[in-house]
């Protein structure tokens, strides 16, 4: 026997996108259930992105949640380096909302506390065998198993926030989706280390390859090192990591520190469209991926759920489905705008370095692009707007 329930909105996936959307809906008194295949502790422990851009901060302010969910210092300055020579880039903005270094882990933990512990929101962990029924002309439902018990949740709207390999997008017939991908041809070694950023976050091109250092809380940082697409973790013992960091930053004074977590991330872009099929809506990584270079992955997910949250409130509370019907058409132009920015950052920072990558011509052009950020007020303003998410 199955347990059968009804709820207006089912959200699949309790990452940043799913939890943010559920919290928004809760704020607007729209009932929803969140289904998550992992347990709460493993969600709380996941390390990912580290910047909420100015637009994301403003969105949380507008939903009245910024004080409760966001923490971490303002991110206003970047140190762009070429072969060890750094220049500070100050993000310009005429708005009071500024980008923040708020790790995804901190945001997720705050969302879980706010949604579940403070508001009594309905997040169901450790669910398996999730299946989606989304047939033409029929009421959709989501079925799953928890503790050996089968459940059926009949609903009006399903939101897929279950990332790239989740069941939501997989439930859409392949001929109803177009997938566009781009491989950059190299990867990043992402190393979480027990050492803070000394002054400002660093994005560094060098003849020996790209390296970045981004804060992760007051005591730690994440280094990203360009590496070959076929590299494995065994190719990167700690000694090599620290040697390459010193080499690429041209700084022999950097001391080895503990490497707490290591991952290899291939740099790629993906967009699936449209981002909706009948009563199923895709948000965040379930719909699109960007290389991490521009720090836009989490921020694009936040934009999707902002638009979806408003559209679902209109549909469920006011019985106006117009914004839901045009959700994909509304967000896709912005998805492509930030795909372009992420590709610009990725090409520029890698081409400006290792000349064996794409040659000396691309190296000099990329360095000229970086120079323009310091010599052209118009280029600096546009770059600031992209970094802040307001372009
Ligand atoms: C990150 O937080 O992972 C991050 C931040 C800024 C970047 C790249 C990555 O430019």
């Amino acid at each position: 026997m199955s347990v059968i329930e009804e709820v207006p909105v089912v959200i699949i996936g309790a990452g940043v996108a799913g939890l943010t959307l559920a919290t928004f809906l809760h704020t607007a008194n729209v009932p929803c259930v969140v289904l998550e295949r992992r347990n709460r502790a493993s969600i709380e422990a996941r390390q990912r992105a580290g910047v909420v851009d100015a637009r994301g901060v403003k969105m949380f302010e507008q939903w009245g949640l910024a004080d409760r969910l966001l923490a971490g210092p303002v991110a206003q300055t970047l140190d762009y380096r070429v072969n060890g020579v750094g220049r500070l880039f100050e993000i310009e903005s005429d708005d009071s909302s500024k980008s923040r270094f708020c790790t995804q882990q901190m945001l997720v933990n705050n969302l879980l506390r706010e949604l579940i512990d403070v508001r009594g929101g309905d997040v169901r962990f450790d669910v398996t065998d999730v299946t989606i029924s989304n047939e033409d002309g029929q009421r959709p439902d989501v079925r799953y198993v928890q503790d050996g018990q089968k459940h059926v949740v009949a609903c009006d709207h399903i939101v897929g926030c279950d990332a790239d390999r989740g069941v939501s997008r997989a439930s859409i017939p392949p001929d109803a989706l177009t997938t566009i991908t781009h491989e950059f041809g190299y990867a990043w070694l992402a190393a979480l280390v027990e050492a803070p950023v000394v002054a400002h976050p660093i994005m560094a091109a060098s003849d020996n390859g790209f390296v970045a250092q981004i804060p992760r809380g007051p005591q730690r940082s994440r280094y990203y090192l360009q590496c070959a697409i076929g590299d494995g973790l065994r190719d990167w013992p700690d000694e090599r990591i620290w040697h390459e960091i010193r080499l690429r930053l041209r700084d022999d004074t950097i001391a080895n520190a503990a490497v707490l977590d290591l991952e290899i991330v291939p740099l790629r872009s993906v967009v699936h469209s449209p981002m909706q099929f009948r009563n199923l809506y895709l948000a965040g990584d379930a719909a699109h991926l960007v290389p991490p270079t521009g720090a836009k992955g989490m921020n694009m997910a936040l934009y999707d759920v902002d638009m979806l949250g408003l559209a679902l409130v209109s549909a469920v509370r006011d019985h106006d489905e117009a914004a839901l019907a045009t959700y994909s058409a509304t967000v896709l132009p912005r998805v492509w705008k930030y795909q372009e920015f992420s590709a610009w950052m990725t090409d520029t920072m890698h081409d400006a370095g290792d000349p064996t990558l794409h040659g000396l011509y691309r190296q000099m052009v990329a360095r000229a692009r970086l120079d323009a950020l310091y010599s052209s007020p118009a280029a600096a303003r546009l770059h600031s707007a992209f970094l802040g998410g307001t372009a």
Side-chain angles (χ1 to χ4, degrees):
M1 281 286 286
S2 297
V3 176
I4 301 177
E5 306 162 75
E6 291 191 27
V7 66
V9 181
V10 174
I11 297 170
I12 301 175
V16 168
L19 293 172
T20 300
L21 179 60
T23 307
F24 287 170
L25 295 180
H26 214 276
T27 307
N29 293 316
V30 171
C32 68
V33 167
V34 183
L35 302 178
E36 169 56 50
R37 68 182 170 83
R38 288 165 299 176
N39 60 34
R40 182 168 173 172
S42 69
I43 306 250
E44 286 173 337
R46 241 163 79 94
Q47 289 277 349
R48 289 275 168 195
V51 180
V52 177
D53 68 19
R55 204 217 81 91
V57 170
K58 196 177 196 67
M59 172 194 76
F60 282 115
E61 288 167 355
Q62 284 167 344
W63 285 90
L65 291 160
D67 294 344
R68 308 181 66 86
L69 298 178
L70 299 178
V74 162
Q76 267 317 86
T77 309
L78 269 174
D79 184 352
Y80 284 116
R81 297 192 186 177
V82 176
N83 284 337
V85 179
R87 285 179 291 185
L88 297 186
F89 183 83
E90 300 288 342
I91 301 177
E92 297 170 34
S93 87
D94 31 23
D95 197 291
S96 60
S97 311
K98 310 267 188 242
S99 301
R100 307 274 296 263
F101 287 110
C102 177
T103 65
Q104 179 169 333
Q105 194 178 13
M106 187 185 292
L107 181 54
V108 161
N109 285 323
N110 290 348
L111 282 161
L112 287 168
R113 201 191 48 228
E114 180 68 21
L115 180 63
I116 302 174
D117 306 334
V118 177
R119 296 167 183 256
D122 192 345
V123 185
R124 303 177 189 178
F125 295 99
D126 286 311
V127 308
T128 60
D129 304 283
V130 176
T131 56
I132 291 170
S133 168
N134 181 28
E135 299 302 321
D136 215 5
Q138 287 176 27
R139 188 164 198 207
D141 67 47
V142 181
R143 292 160 197 248
Y144 67 95
V145 175
Q146 192 182 35
D147 295 329
Q149 172 68 54
K150 291 182 180 173
H151 295 255
V152 181
V153 189
C155 58
D156 302 313
H157 312 286
I158 304 166
V159 185
C161 298
D162 50 350
D164 190 32
R165 298 197 186 92
V167 297
S168 303
R169 198 185 66 246
S171 78
I172 300 177
D175 60 3
L177 277 184
T178 300
T179 299
I180 300 176
T181 64
H182 175 68
E183 303 289 340
F184 288 82
Y186 37 84
W188 276 8
L189 180 78
L192 181 69
V193 305
E194 194 69 52
V197 168
V198 174
H200 300 289
I202 297 166
M203 303 283 281
S206 86
D207 292 345
N208 307 89
F210 171 83
V211 61
Q213 190 193 15
I214 311 289
R216 283 292 182 277
Q219 302 305 332
R220 295 174 175 176
S221 54
R222 196 178 273 284
Y223 278 101
Y224 293 114
L225 292 119
Q226 175 187 346
C227 65
I229 203 95
D231 276 6
L233 294 181
R234 260 178 313 198
D235 296 313
W236 287 91
D238 287 13
E239 201 47 57
R240 180 176 178 206
I241 293 172
W242 290 104
H243 170 76
E244 286 292 327
I245 289 171
R246 286 187 283 267
L247 176 68
R248 296 179 191 193
L249 291 173
R250 305 287 191 269
D251 184 350
D252 287 337
T253 69
I254 296 169
N256 291 19
V259 177
L260 307 169
D261 181 58
L262 204 55
E263 213 186 325
I264 290 182
V265 189
L267 269 63
R268 54 202 290 255
S269 289
V270 184
V271 178
H272 303 276
S273 63
M275 287 167 57
Q276 63 194 91
F277 179 69
R278 298 184 184 142
N279 297 301
L280 170 67
Y281 307 87
L282 302 176
D285 288 0
H288 40 69
L289 301 175
V290 285
T293 329
K296 288 300 167 192
M298 177 165 79
N299 291 298
M300 289 165 74
L302 292 175
Y303 180 81
D304 292 349
V305 297
D306 191 12
M307 295 301 119
L308 259 183
L310 296 169
L312 286 166
V313 171
S314 294
V316 175
R317 229 175 42 185
D318 310 329
H319 307 289
D320 176 357
E321 301 217 345
L324 260 188
T326 56
Y327 162 68
S328 178
T330 303
V331 301
L332 271 173
R334 190 176 189 279
V335 166
W336 280 108
K337 187 190 284 189
Y338 282 85
Q339 286 286 351
E340 188 282 322
F341 172 66
S342 301
W344 186 99
M345 283 288 277
T346 305
D347 291 342
T348 302
M349 294 313 301
H350 294 80
D351 287 350
D354 180 2
T356 67
L357 189 63
H358 292 134
L360 283 170
Y361 177 79
R362 292 265 288 267
Q363 184 196 59
M364 294 309 288
V365 167
R367 289 182 183 181
R369 284 179 177 177
L370 281 177
D371 288 343
L373 302 180
Y374 299 88
S375 60
S376 158
R381 260 198 312 279
L382 181 62
H383 193 60
S384 294
F386 272 119
L387 289 171
T390 59

